[in-house]
Amino acid sequence: MLGPIVFLLLFHYTVPDVMSVDIPCAARQMEFGTVCVCNSSYCDTVTRPSPLATGSYYHYTTSQDSPGFTRTTGNFIVEDRVYDDNDDHIVFTVNPSIEHQEILGFGGSFTDSSGIVISNMSTEVQDKIMESYFGATGVEYNFGRVPIGGSDFSVRSYTYDDTPFDGDLTHFSIAEEDYKYKIPLIQKAMNISPRNIKLIGCAWSSPSWMKTNGAASSGYLLSKYYSSWAKYHIKGRLELT
């Protein structure tokens, strides 16, 4: 059995005081593990906590035995002791004066498959699912990957220009899946989120006619289509935004 997953969150900024009692996970045992049930009348929540005093932290855990997010608080202990490998402790060393790379955000991908699954649910369930991911009572995703064309989470293989040898991309066009699944989900996420959602476009494959093997999978991009492939990304970004 997997051990608990631990999240340590430090708050050194001011946020609105929205402290409330979270709705607990409605656990259901499945063949592959335990899940939290979310339906039209019930869905667990993870509200953003109030800021803590300097030196304190929030501690989140989730595991097979305790699905969902369990939140506790703790205090850092300042001491000079050095722990060795034989100590039964988890040690976090925090130095707020040292900064490394900036975290742009956390999120997921707006794929065809996720759009298909969510669109087959009732409006009430759709709203609760999106709130769980992007809303103030959910995990507040603020980052989204948008496939430029089809991906491994599509029900068919396609790109935005499947007309052979169209180097000028005169037949470039976004797909039906974008209008039916990706764009509606992105718009819903932006309407729900209290944050500014950042999007990154990512193509799963170039059109097959640009590749050495003439197929959607495997193969390499032909050098004569380097410029076309660059334009493909630019047009994809403009069309999807």
Side-chain angles (χ1 to χ4, degrees):
M1 181 174 293
L2 295 175
I5 300 173
V6 178
F7 299 88
L8 182 67
L9 304 183
L10 307 180
F11 293 88
H12 295 288
Y13 51 87
T14 301
V15 296
D17 188 355
V18 294
M19 193 72 166
S20 62
V21 178
D22 285 327
I23 298 174
C25 166
R28 177 182 295 175
Q29 186 65 39
M30 307 294 287
E31 180 182 355
F32 51 82
T34 306
V35 299
C36 295
V37 176
C38 181
N39 55 40
S40 60
S41 60
Y42 189 96
C43 204
D44 55 298
T45 59
V46 188
T47 52
R48 187 191 300 187
S50 300
L52 291 172
T54 301
S56 299
Y57 61 86
Y58 287 110
H59 181 243
Y60 286 84
T61 60
T62 182
S63 68
Q64 291 278 25
D65 296 328
S66 181
F69 290 98
T70 301
R71 182 178 67 205
T72 57
T73 58
N75 297 295
F76 286 108
I77 299 174
V78 180
E79 57 181 38
D80 295 328
R81 177 182 173 185
V82 177
Y83 291 93
D84 58 38
D85 293 338
N86 296 321
D87 282 308
D88 186 21
H89 291 82
I90 297 176
V91 179
F92 294 93
T93 302
V94 179
N95 188 340
S97 66
I98 299 177
E99 296 183 356
H100 296 282
Q101 67 269 28
E102 179 183 357
I103 297 176
L104 297 179
F106 297 89
S109 186
F110 294 98
T111 62
D112 295 345
S113 60
S114 60
I116 292 171
V117 171
I118 294 175
S119 67
N120 283 324
M121 299 179 182
S122 68
T123 301
E124 293 78 12
V125 175
Q126 290 184 37
D127 291 342
K128 285 188 177 294
I129 290 174
M130 296 301 288
E131 174 69 25
S132 293
Y133 281 110
F134 297 96
T137 61
V139 293
E140 293 191 62
Y141 275 3
N142 70 324
F143 215 95
R145 180 173 70 90
V146 185
I148 301 177
S151 71
D152 55 336
F153 285 96
S154 297
V155 296
R156 67 185 181 96
S157 176
Y158 69 93
T159 71
Y160 289 160
D161 193 341
D162 289 320
T163 301
F165 315 118
D166 183 21
D168 293 330
L169 304 181
T170 55
H171 294 89
F172 183 98
S173 177
I174 62 176
E176 178 185 6
E177 286 85 347
D178 296 296
Y179 293 109
K180 290 180 64 176
Y181 306 124
K182 296 177 192 172
I183 294 175
L185 279 185
I186 293 170
Q187 291 175 333
K188 187 180 287 288
M190 289 182 169
N191 290 334
I192 290 174
S193 176
R195 297 172 176 266
N196 180 27
I197 296 179
K198 303 177 181 68
L199 300 176
I200 179 170
C202 182
W204 184 252
S205 172
S206 64
S208 58
W209 50 268
M210 289 188 184
K211 301 169 73 173
T212 54
N213 64 345
S217 60
S218 301
Y220 299 93
L221 185 69
L222 292 167
S223 59
K224 65 180 179 179
Y225 289 123
Y226 283 175
S227 178
S228 298
W229 185 223
K231 292 177 182 177
Y232 182 94
H233 282 80
I234 295 172
K235 290 174 72 71
R237 177 187 177 278
L238 294 175
E239 290 285 344
L240 289 171
T241 57

